[in-house]
Amino acid sequence: METYRTHYSKDVTKDYFGKNITVAGWVEDIRNIGSLAFVILRDRLGTLQITAFKKKHPELFDMLVNITRESVISVYGFCKQSDKARNGYEIIPEEVKILSLAETPLPLGVVDKVESELDTRLDNRFIDLRKPELQALFKIRNEIISSVHNYLRSENFIEVHTPKIIASSSEGGTDVFRLKYFEREAFLAQSPQLYKQTLMATGLDRVYEIAWYFRAEEHNTRRHLNESTAIDVEMAFIKNEEDVMKILENLVYNMWKKASECKEELTILKREINLPNLPFIRLTYDEVLKLLNKNGYDVKWGDDLTTEQEKILGDIMQKKGHEFYFITKYPLESKPFYTMPDGEKLSRGFDLECKGMELSSGSQRIHDKELLEKRMKACGLDAAQFESYLKAFRYGIPPHGGFGFGIERFIMELLDIQNVRECILFPRDRNRLTP
RNA sequence: GCCCCGGUAGUGUAGUGGCCCAUCAUCCAAGCCUGUCGAGCUUGGGACUCGAGUUCAAAUCUCGGCCGGGGCGCCA
C-alpha cells in the first residue's frame, strides 16, 4: 500500500471500474451475512461499500468483521462495478490497514437509530460532526463566508483584524469578560466597534472583519452564545444610514444566494432556500408601532420591542411577503452612544430583522467629537475611559457608518435551525466551556 | 439578574409509594445466515445524579448540593 487514499467515495468514476484503488475513512457499519460481509466506509464526500468474501480471503474477512464501528481504516482493493452496491461499485479488498481502532461503546452513535440530546452531542462534538448533515451545515457556512469576502472585496472593502484584548469595555451596557493583563485588568472585546470606527480616521475608508464577540451575559436561551462570530462592516463618506443599508442588504442577498447554490448540502439537510427580493422593505420605528398597535399590542413610543412583539411583527411581515425587513429611525435613547441622532428624539440607527429575529444592527455614527462626548455623557459613560477612541475624532474623521451581523443567527434563519449552538463548532454558553 | 422545568444502561426512553433484583428500542458481546444497504433471527450484557430526611416500604414524596434544558430581561 503506497498511500492511504487514492480516491474519495464519490470520486470513483466508471474509468476506475476493473482497476485497483485505495480508499480510506471511518467504518460506519459492518453487516456480516455469514460467508460475505459488507463494510460501509465513510469519508468527507459520502460512503462506499467494501464487500469481503470469507472463502476468498478468510483472514481479511475475519479482520474486517471484527473492526469496531467508527475505526479508521484504509483499504486497497479491486473496484468492481456493481448495480447492487451504492455508487454503482464495491471494493473487493486485497489489503486492509487499521489506522485507528475505535473504542466501544461509542459515547454517541453516528448512524444509530436513536437521536441524542444536544448536550450529549456537544460533549462529543467530534463524533457529532461526523454526521453528514452537520458537515453540510459547516460546508454551507464556509461558502457563505467565502461569499462575504467576495462581495465586500468587490465593493472595495478590505479585511482587517482588530484587538480582542482591550483596555475598557467597548460600549458600556453589555457585561464583558474580565481578565488579567499582566499587572493590569483587561477585557475581552464585545465587538470591534470602537476600532473599526477608529479606522475611519485612517483613510482606509471601507473595512470589514469576521470578528469574535465575547459577551458575559448570563442568558440561557436558544439564540444566545457567550462567544459568537459576526461580520463587522464600517464605511466612510456616507451621506446617511441608507448607504450602509444598501451594502448590508446586498451582502445578505449574496450570502443567501451562495447558500442556495449548495445543492448537495441542502439536499442532505432537507432544506430549500428561496431568494429574497431586493431591496428589503424599510419600516420606520413609528410604522412598526402603528402595525403592532393595530394588532392589539400596546407599545409605548420609546420602548424597545419585547421578544414576543418582535415575533408578532415577524409574522405580520411574513404574511405580507417580507422575510427580511429593516426597522429604521429608532428612538435615540434605545441606541448606543455612537449612533448619529436624527433630530431631537430619533436616531440614524437601524436593525435588520429576519422573521422576527434581529440579525444585524447598524447606524450612521457620530463623527463630531463634541456631539460624541455629549452623547456619552447622556448615556452615563465617562469620556475619560474612552480617551484613545476619542482621540481619533480630533484630527479629521469623515462621516461614516456600519453594522454588525451575527453569523450564527443568520445560519439559524437560513437553515431553520432551532438552537444557535448547532451553528458553531464548539459553542460557549453559560454552562459550557469544553470542548 | 429573574422565573419555570428536568436528571433511569454507552445512547434515547417507560415507569408518579409495594405489581420493579426496573420497560422498550438502540448499542455492545457471542452465534446462525452468499447480496446487505434502518439487514434479519437466537442468546447474553448493561442504568435509577449525589447527600440527608419521611415511611414498614422510595426510581417514585420532602429538603439541599451538583449537572443540564427553556423563557424573560438584554442582545447578534
Short mmCIF file of all heavy atoms in Angstrom, two decimals, chain A residues 31 36 39 201 261 271 339 364 389 401 417:
data_model
loop_
_atom_site.label_atom_id
_atom_site.label_comp_id
_atom_site.label_asym_id
_atom_site.label_seq_id
_atom_site.Cartn_x
_atom_site.Cartn_y
_atom_site.Cartn_z
N ARG A 31 -21.91 -5.24 8.13
CA ARG A 31 -23.01 -6.20 8.05
C ARG A 31 -22.43 -7.55 7.65
O ARG A 31 -22.05 -7.76 6.50
CB ARG A 31 -24.05 -5.72 7.04
CG ARG A 31 -24.86 -4.54 7.55
CD ARG A 31 -26.04 -4.24 6.68
NE ARG A 31 -25.67 -3.39 5.55
CZ ARG A 31 -25.65 -2.05 5.60
NH1 ARG A 31 -25.98 -1.43 6.71
NH2 ARG A 31 -25.31 -1.37 4.54
N LEU A 36 -20.19 -13.75 3.56
CA LEU A 36 -19.73 -12.48 2.99
C LEU A 36 -20.13 -11.36 3.94
O LEU A 36 -21.03 -11.53 4.77
CB LEU A 36 -20.26 -12.24 1.57
CG LEU A 36 -21.66 -11.69 1.36
CD1 LEU A 36 -21.81 -11.17 -0.06
CD2 LEU A 36 -22.69 -12.77 1.62
N VAL A 39 -18.86 -3.80 4.48
CA VAL A 39 -18.38 -2.74 5.36
C VAL A 39 -18.68 -1.41 4.69
O VAL A 39 -18.30 -1.20 3.53
CB VAL A 39 -16.87 -2.88 5.61
CG1 VAL A 39 -16.36 -1.70 6.43
CG2 VAL A 39 -16.56 -4.20 6.31
N ALA A 201 -10.71 56.97 10.58
CA ALA A 201 -9.86 58.16 10.65
C ALA A 201 -8.54 57.95 9.91
O ALA A 201 -7.66 58.80 9.94
CB ALA A 201 -9.59 58.52 12.10
N GLU A 261 -27.01 27.86 -3.63
CA GLU A 261 -26.28 27.11 -4.66
C GLU A 261 -25.64 25.83 -4.12
O GLU A 261 -25.10 25.03 -4.88
CB GLU A 261 -25.21 28.00 -5.30
CG GLU A 261 -25.81 29.09 -6.18
CD GLU A 261 -24.82 30.22 -6.48
OE1 GLU A 261 -23.64 30.12 -6.09
OE2 GLU A 261 -25.25 31.21 -7.11
N ARG A 271 -33.46 20.94 3.05
CA ARG A 271 -33.88 22.33 3.10
C ARG A 271 -33.97 22.91 1.69
O ARG A 271 -33.24 22.48 0.80
CB ARG A 271 -32.87 23.18 3.89
CG ARG A 271 -32.70 22.81 5.33
CD ARG A 271 -33.89 23.20 6.18
NE ARG A 271 -33.58 23.15 7.59
CZ ARG A 271 -33.57 22.05 8.32
NH1 ARG A 271 -33.84 20.89 7.78
NH2 ARG A 271 -33.26 22.10 9.61
N THR A 339 -24.33 56.37 18.04
CA THR A 339 -25.33 56.45 16.99
C THR A 339 -25.66 57.90 16.66
O THR A 339 -25.91 58.71 17.55
CB THR A 339 -26.62 55.73 17.43
OG1 THR A 339 -26.28 54.44 17.92
CG2 THR A 339 -27.61 55.61 16.28
N GLN A 364 -25.66 55.16 11.04
CA GLN A 364 -24.65 56.18 10.79
C GLN A 364 -24.11 56.53 12.16
O GLN A 364 -24.84 56.56 13.16
CB GLN A 364 -25.25 57.42 10.12
CG GLN A 364 -24.18 58.50 9.92
CD GLN A 364 -24.63 59.68 9.08
OE1 GLN A 364 -25.68 59.63 8.44
NE2 GLN A 364 -23.84 60.73 9.09
N TYR A 389 -10.03 56.30 22.04
CA TYR A 389 -11.04 56.27 20.98
C TYR A 389 -11.37 57.68 20.53
O TYR A 389 -11.37 58.00 19.34
CB TYR A 389 -12.27 55.53 21.51
CG TYR A 389 -13.57 55.69 20.75
CD1 TYR A 389 -13.75 55.09 19.51
CD2 TYR A 389 -14.64 56.39 21.32
CE1 TYR A 389 -14.98 55.20 18.84
CE2 TYR A 389 -15.85 56.50 20.66
CZ TYR A 389 -16.02 55.91 19.43
OH TYR A 389 -17.23 56.01 18.78
N GLY A 401 -20.43 55.07 8.83
CA GLY A 401 -21.44 54.21 9.45
C GLY A 401 -21.10 52.76 9.18
O GLY A 401 -20.15 52.47 8.43
N ILE A 417 -32.74 26.35 11.85
CA ILE A 417 -32.17 25.57 12.94
C ILE A 417 -32.69 26.13 14.25
O ILE A 417 -32.76 27.34 14.42
CB ILE A 417 -30.63 25.62 12.85
CG1 ILE A 417 -30.29 25.02 11.51
CG2 ILE A 417 -29.97 24.94 14.06
CD1 ILE A 417 -29.12 24.31 11.29
#
